[in-house]
Amino acid sequence: MDITFNKNEDHNKQLLSQLNKMLHQVSFGGGKERLAKHEKKGKMTARDRVDFLFDSPHNTLEIGALAGDQMYKDHGGCPSGGVIVKIGDVSGKQCIVVANDATVKAGAWFPITAKKNLRAQEIAIENNLPIIYLVDSAGVYLPMQDEIFPDKEHFGRIFRNNAVMSSKGITQIAAVMGSCVAGGAYLPIMSDESIIVDKTGSIFLAGSYLVKAAIGENIDNETLGGATTHTEISGVCDYKAKNDQDALDSIKNIVGKIGAFEKAGFNRIPSIEPKDNPDDIYGILPESRSEQYDMKEIIKRLVDNSKMEEYKANYGKTLICAYARIEGWAVGIVANQRKLVKNGKGEMQFGGVIYSDSADKATRFIANCNQKKIPLVFLQDVTGFMVGSKSEHGGIIKDGAKMVNAVSNSVVPKFTIIIGNSYGAGNYAMCGKAYDPRFIFAWPSAELAVMGGKQAAQVLLQIETASLKKQGQRISKEKEKEILESITNRYAKQTSPYYAAARLWTDGIINPLETRKIISMGIEVANHAPIEKQFNMGVIQV
């Protein structure tokens, strides 16, 4: 191993250590003190509830663990968006579980909470996946009601999705394990079956204090909307549970009786571990996002037996297109080659840049994968499309549009891993969030932005200094340096993978060594939903 490999390894393992530290921190929800108070009420924590449901709590996939990170500081924060979302097996059936964390503002809904709940429902709808709600929420967080209540992708969309899933035959089960108030009270009754925990679970449109204020009636919450009321009088809930564990056992029993589902039929054979050591990834991936490296060496450490069949290997070399297997699943990989390459004309091409020939190759490969019903995996480390007169005259916009068209209209499931750069239109062509990947995760080394930091900082510097000069200010070299440093720091914060994960632009940040497992679980999830449409790119310029 050379010194560069060792330096890269140290840097990437430091990034991984930072990630592990943050994931450990958010696992405490609203904090150890609030967790202790929650448990004193005889209630399990949100994470304990979720883990209790799964057949194997360690063989799960968490969505949005870092949602809300560094957001809502003026409101005390919202760790993990105040809700836990995980995918795993419950009684042998793959399910997605959504659990309110009552230690975070009593489980109240912040804007990011709604976004995360909607993401969970989107996954269930796209993949015909049974969804389980563990409800323990005080409802909308009133100080921010204008950002969560009235719009299309706000709180009310949850119940619209309940109805849509019901019409599609997607199983929905709700367990009321704490508060379930106001609009949220519709969720259990819009689910297929509902369970309520005695003495701790309650459902009502308005609590006892509001009832008193509104109509003058004196009544306690338990009589108003407790377990006995809703299983013996109103009929809102189907089962009454003695405690949290009893409610979760009931869910397991219900899920265990669900019939088999129709599969999409993606190809899978027994898995073979990579022949090349996956740990080498830490040393291969450069410390700097501008340094070159061979993406094929990364791919070899992600795929079964380190083997791939490369499509058009000597054409369009800045994009690698290859067939391979990941944990036995057949996949088509589209990855940005990050080293300097020479095209068929003897011209040098920059790694990480998409050229016309690369875009043309990827378009054809994506069409082939759709024809063969092979899921697509995008490995992003892209700075964008090639610019300049030669590229423009050669039709880079046309060829890039064809690739974007193919990605947009792909009917096989797509999975995106952001390894390094994810800049500008390159993010789009490589199946960024806007192009409906079934799952999109980032490595700790990722950066997401409209352009690279240095270029953006220089552009923003020119704009800001021009504005100050118009105001009559004289800009010295020292002042210009100070402005540039401020802009660079601000821009760097916004390009961080944590900034993206906090806002659910990605489903989370992962250890690179978890990539195989996550893609495999993702394809298993997608296998619940048979492909119903034919691949059709519509009108394109040839």
mmCIF file of all heavy atoms in Angstrom, residues 341-365:
data_model
loop_
_atom_site.group_PDB
_atom_site.id
_atom_site.type_symbol
_atom_site.label_atom_id
_atom_site.label_comp_id
_atom_site.label_asym_id
_atom_site.label_seq_id
_atom_site.Cartn_x
_atom_site.Cartn_y
_atom_site.Cartn_z
ATOM 1 N N VAL A 341 -9.156 9.805 -19.404
ATOM 2 C CA VAL A 341 -9.195 8.726 -20.397
ATOM 3 C C VAL A 341 -8.981 9.300 -21.791
ATOM 4 O O VAL A 341 -9.108 10.501 -22.015
ATOM 5 C CB VAL A 341 -10.540 7.957 -20.342
ATOM 6 C CG1 VAL A 341 -10.709 7.256 -19.011
ATOM 7 C CG2 VAL A 341 -11.718 8.888 -20.621
ATOM 8 N N LYS A 342 -8.677 8.411 -22.729
ATOM 9 C CA LYS A 342 -8.476 8.823 -24.122
ATOM 10 C C LYS A 342 -9.587 8.211 -24.962
ATOM 11 O O LYS A 342 -9.847 7.006 -24.891
ATOM 12 C CB LYS A 342 -7.114 8.345 -24.609
ATOM 13 C CG LYS A 342 -6.720 8.864 -25.991
ATOM 14 C CD LYS A 342 -5.360 8.334 -26.413
ATOM 15 C CE LYS A 342 -4.240 8.925 -25.590
ATOM 16 N NZ LYS A 342 -2.901 8.505 -26.109
ATOM 17 N N ASN A 343 -10.272 9.051 -25.760
ATOM 18 C CA ASN A 343 -11.356 8.519 -26.596
ATOM 19 C C ASN A 343 -10.801 7.893 -27.874
ATOM 20 O O ASN A 343 -9.585 7.878 -28.102
ATOM 21 C CB ASN A 343 -12.408 9.597 -26.901
ATOM 22 C CG ASN A 343 -11.882 10.705 -27.818
ATOM 23 O OD1 ASN A 343 -10.813 10.591 -28.419
ATOM 24 N ND2 ASN A 343 -12.643 11.781 -27.923
ATOM 25 N N GLY A 344 -11.697 7.363 -28.718
ATOM 26 C CA GLY A 344 -11.284 6.660 -29.927
ATOM 27 C C GLY A 344 -10.543 7.536 -30.917
ATOM 28 O O GLY A 344 -9.840 7.027 -31.799
ATOM 29 N N LYS A 345 -10.685 8.858 -30.784
ATOM 30 C CA LYS A 345 -10.003 9.788 -31.686
ATOM 31 C C LYS A 345 -8.641 10.204 -31.144
ATOM 32 O O LYS A 345 -7.966 11.052 -31.733
ATOM 33 C CB LYS A 345 -10.869 11.034 -31.902
ATOM 34 C CG LYS A 345 -12.222 10.741 -32.533
ATOM 35 C CD LYS A 345 -13.071 12.004 -32.600
ATOM 36 C CE LYS A 345 -14.452 11.717 -33.165
ATOM 37 N NZ LYS A 345 -15.314 12.940 -33.154
ATOM 38 N N GLY A 346 -8.278 9.643 -29.978
ATOM 39 C CA GLY A 346 -6.985 9.981 -29.378
ATOM 40 C C GLY A 346 -7.032 11.234 -28.522
ATOM 41 O O GLY A 346 -5.988 11.733 -28.083
ATOM 42 N N GLU A 347 -8.228 11.769 -28.282
ATOM 43 C CA GLU A 347 -8.381 12.989 -27.480
ATOM 44 C C GLU A 347 -8.543 12.633 -26.003
ATOM 45 O O GLU A 347 -9.207 11.659 -25.654
ATOM 46 C CB GLU A 347 -9.612 13.779 -27.949
ATOM 47 C CG GLU A 347 -9.545 14.169 -29.418
ATOM 48 C CD GLU A 347 -10.905 14.611 -29.963
ATOM 49 O OE1 GLU A 347 -11.940 14.137 -29.452
ATOM 50 O OE2 GLU A 347 -10.915 15.425 -30.899
ATOM 51 N N MET A 348 -7.955 13.440 -25.132
ATOM 52 C CA MET A 348 -8.077 13.204 -23.692
ATOM 53 C C MET A 348 -9.417 13.747 -23.184
ATOM 54 O O MET A 348 -9.860 14.831 -23.593
ATOM 55 C CB MET A 348 -6.932 13.872 -22.939
ATOM 56 C CG MET A 348 -5.550 13.329 -23.279
ATOM 57 S SD MET A 348 -5.406 11.524 -23.143
ATOM 58 C CE MET A 348 -5.678 11.275 -21.388
ATOM 59 N N GLN A 349 -10.046 12.987 -22.289
ATOM 60 C CA GLN A 349 -11.319 13.393 -21.687
ATOM 61 C C GLN A 349 -11.187 13.366 -20.162
ATOM 62 O O GLN A 349 -10.565 12.460 -19.599
ATOM 63 C CB GLN A 349 -12.448 12.462 -22.124
ATOM 64 C CG GLN A 349 -12.756 12.528 -23.610
ATOM 65 C CD GLN A 349 -13.898 11.613 -24.022
ATOM 66 O OE1 GLN A 349 -14.126 10.578 -23.427
ATOM 67 N NE2 GLN A 349 -14.627 12.007 -25.067
ATOM 68 N N PHE A 350 -11.774 14.370 -19.524
ATOM 69 C CA PHE A 350 -11.664 14.503 -18.075
ATOM 70 C C PHE A 350 -12.580 13.517 -17.353
ATOM 71 O O PHE A 350 -13.750 13.364 -17.718
ATOM 72 C CB PHE A 350 -12.018 15.926 -17.631
ATOM 73 C CG PHE A 350 -11.099 16.980 -18.161
ATOM 74 C CD1 PHE A 350 -11.475 17.777 -19.227
ATOM 75 C CD2 PHE A 350 -9.848 17.161 -17.594
ATOM 76 C CE1 PHE A 350 -10.616 18.753 -19.731
ATOM 77 C CE2 PHE A 350 -8.975 18.132 -18.088
ATOM 78 C CZ PHE A 350 -9.362 18.927 -19.154
ATOM 79 N N GLY A 351 -12.057 12.865 -16.332
ATOM 80 C CA GLY A 351 -12.871 11.971 -15.517
ATOM 81 C C GLY A 351 -13.945 12.737 -14.753
ATOM 82 O O GLY A 351 -13.715 13.861 -14.301
ATOM 83 N N GLY A 352 -15.124 12.124 -14.636
ATOM 84 C CA GLY A 352 -16.219 12.764 -13.906
ATOM 85 C C GLY A 352 -17.068 13.674 -14.752
ATOM 86 O O GLY A 352 -18.083 14.188 -14.286
ATOM 87 N N VAL A 353 -16.678 13.888 -16.010
ATOM 88 C CA VAL A 353 -17.422 14.742 -16.935
ATOM 89 C C VAL A 353 -18.152 13.849 -17.936
ATOM 90 O O VAL A 353 -17.600 12.867 -18.428
ATOM 91 C CB VAL A 353 -16.487 15.721 -17.674
ATOM 92 C CG1 VAL A 353 -17.273 16.590 -18.652
ATOM 93 C CG2 VAL A 353 -15.722 16.587 -16.681
ATOM 94 N N ILE A 354 -19.396 14.192 -18.239
ATOM 95 C CA ILE A 354 -20.162 13.418 -19.228
ATOM 96 C C ILE A 354 -20.005 14.079 -20.596
ATOM 97 O O ILE A 354 -20.346 15.256 -20.771
ATOM 98 C CB ILE A 354 -21.652 13.348 -18.837
ATOM 99 C CG1 ILE A 354 -21.816 12.691 -17.464
ATOM 100 C CG2 ILE A 354 -22.443 12.556 -19.886
ATOM 101 C CD1 ILE A 354 -23.244 12.690 -16.939
ATOM 102 N N TYR A 355 -19.470 13.329 -21.555
ATOM 103 C CA TYR A 355 -19.296 13.793 -22.934
ATOM 104 C C TYR A 355 -20.425 13.223 -23.796
ATOM 105 O O TYR A 355 -21.167 12.343 -23.362
ATOM 106 C CB TYR A 355 -17.940 13.337 -23.480
ATOM 107 C CG TYR A 355 -16.748 14.035 -22.865
ATOM 108 C CD1 TYR A 355 -16.316 13.706 -21.585
ATOM 109 C CD2 TYR A 355 -16.055 15.018 -23.559
ATOM 110 C CE1 TYR A 355 -15.208 14.328 -21.017
ATOM 111 C CE2 TYR A 355 -14.940 15.646 -23.004
ATOM 112 C CZ TYR A 355 -14.535 15.299 -21.725
ATOM 113 O OH TYR A 355 -13.439 15.926 -21.179
ATOM 114 N N SER A 356 -20.522 13.682 -25.040
ATOM 115 C CA SER A 356 -21.584 13.231 -25.946
ATOM 116 C C SER A 356 -21.558 11.723 -26.145
ATOM 117 O O SER A 356 -22.604 11.059 -26.109
ATOM 118 C CB SER A 356 -21.461 13.932 -27.307
ATOM 119 O OG SER A 356 -21.921 15.261 -27.227
ATOM 120 N N ASP A 357 -20.353 11.161 -26.355
ATOM 121 C CA ASP A 357 -20.281 9.721 -26.590
ATOM 122 C C ASP A 357 -20.693 8.932 -25.335
ATOM 123 O O ASP A 357 -21.348 7.891 -25.432
ATOM 124 C CB ASP A 357 -18.886 9.308 -27.079
ATOM 125 C CG ASP A 357 -17.752 9.764 -26.177
ATOM 126 O OD1 ASP A 357 -18.018 10.479 -25.184
ATOM 127 O OD2 ASP A 357 -16.584 9.411 -26.461
ATOM 128 N N SER A 358 -20.354 9.459 -24.153
ATOM 129 C CA SER A 358 -20.727 8.795 -22.898
ATOM 130 C C SER A 358 -22.238 8.798 -22.712
ATOM 131 O O SER A 358 -22.836 7.786 -22.325
ATOM 132 C CB SER A 358 -20.066 9.493 -21.709
ATOM 133 O OG SER A 358 -18.680 9.574 -21.870
ATOM 134 N N ALA A 359 -22.849 9.952 -22.998
ATOM 135 C CA ALA A 359 -24.302 10.073 -22.850
ATOM 136 C C ALA A 359 -25.025 9.151 -23.824
ATOM 137 O O ALA A 359 -26.027 8.510 -23.482
ATOM 138 C CB ALA A 359 -24.738 11.527 -23.069
ATOM 139 N N ASP A 360 -24.494 9.071 -25.054
ATOM 140 C CA ASP A 360 -25.086 8.190 -26.068
ATOM 141 C C ASP A 360 -25.012 6.732 -25.610
ATOM 142 O O ASP A 360 -25.986 5.979 -25.718
ATOM 143 C CB ASP A 360 -24.345 8.388 -27.393
ATOM 144 C CG ASP A 360 -24.812 7.419 -28.467
ATOM 145 O OD1 ASP A 360 -25.991 7.490 -28.848
ATOM 146 O OD2 ASP A 360 -23.999 6.588 -28.900
ATOM 147 N N LYS A 361 -23.868 6.323 -25.103
ATOM 148 C CA LYS A 361 -23.699 4.950 -24.626
ATOM 149 C C LYS A 361 -24.662 4.645 -23.481
ATOM 150 O O LYS A 361 -25.317 3.593 -23.460
ATOM 151 C CB LYS A 361 -22.245 4.725 -24.167
ATOM 152 C CG LYS A 361 -22.017 3.344 -23.558
ATOM 153 C CD LYS A 361 -20.548 3.061 -23.301
ATOM 154 C CE LYS A 361 -20.032 3.681 -22.036
ATOM 155 N NZ LYS A 361 -18.671 3.197 -21.693
ATOM 156 N N ALA A 362 -24.744 5.544 -22.503
ATOM 157 C CA ALA A 362 -25.608 5.323 -21.339
ATOM 158 C C ALA A 362 -27.068 5.221 -21.750
ATOM 159 O O ALA A 362 -27.820 4.398 -21.205
ATOM 160 C CB ALA A 362 -25.420 6.449 -20.322
ATOM 161 N N THR A 363 -27.493 6.043 -22.704
ATOM 162 C CA THR A 363 -28.876 5.998 -23.171
ATOM 163 C C THR A 363 -29.220 4.615 -23.716
ATOM 164 O O THR A 363 -30.256 4.031 -23.394
ATOM 165 C CB THR A 363 -29.110 7.059 -24.271
ATOM 166 O OG1 THR A 363 -28.817 8.360 -23.733
ATOM 167 C CG2 THR A 363 -30.546 7.032 -24.772
ATOM 168 N N ARG A 364 -28.331 4.075 -24.538
ATOM 169 C CA ARG A 364 -28.550 2.747 -25.127
ATOM 170 C C ARG A 364 -28.525 1.662 -24.049
ATOM 171 O O ARG A 364 -29.321 0.724 -24.081
ATOM 172 C CB ARG A 364 -27.496 2.474 -26.197
ATOM 173 C CG ARG A 364 -27.643 3.363 -27.430
ATOM 174 C CD ARG A 364 -26.459 3.209 -28.374
ATOM 175 N NE ARG A 364 -26.348 1.849 -28.889
ATOM 176 C CZ ARG A 364 -26.938 1.406 -29.986
ATOM 177 N NH1 ARG A 364 -27.710 2.223 -30.688
ATOM 178 N NH2 ARG A 364 -26.779 0.170 -30.399
ATOM 179 N N PHE A 365 -27.629 1.789 -23.097
ATOM 180 C CA PHE A 365 -27.512 0.792 -22.032
ATOM 181 C C PHE A 365 -28.761 0.782 -21.147
ATOM 182 O O PHE A 365 -29.275 -0.281 -20.788
ATOM 183 C CB PHE A 365 -26.261 1.077 -21.192
ATOM 184 C CG PHE A 365 -26.041 0.087 -20.086
ATOM 185 C CD1 PHE A 365 -25.633 -1.207 -20.365
ATOM 186 C CD2 PHE A 365 -26.232 0.449 -18.756
ATOM 187 C CE1 PHE A 365 -25.412 -2.132 -19.340
ATOM 188 C CE2 PHE A 365 -26.018 -0.459 -17.727
ATOM 189 C CZ PHE A 365 -25.600 -1.752 -18.018
#
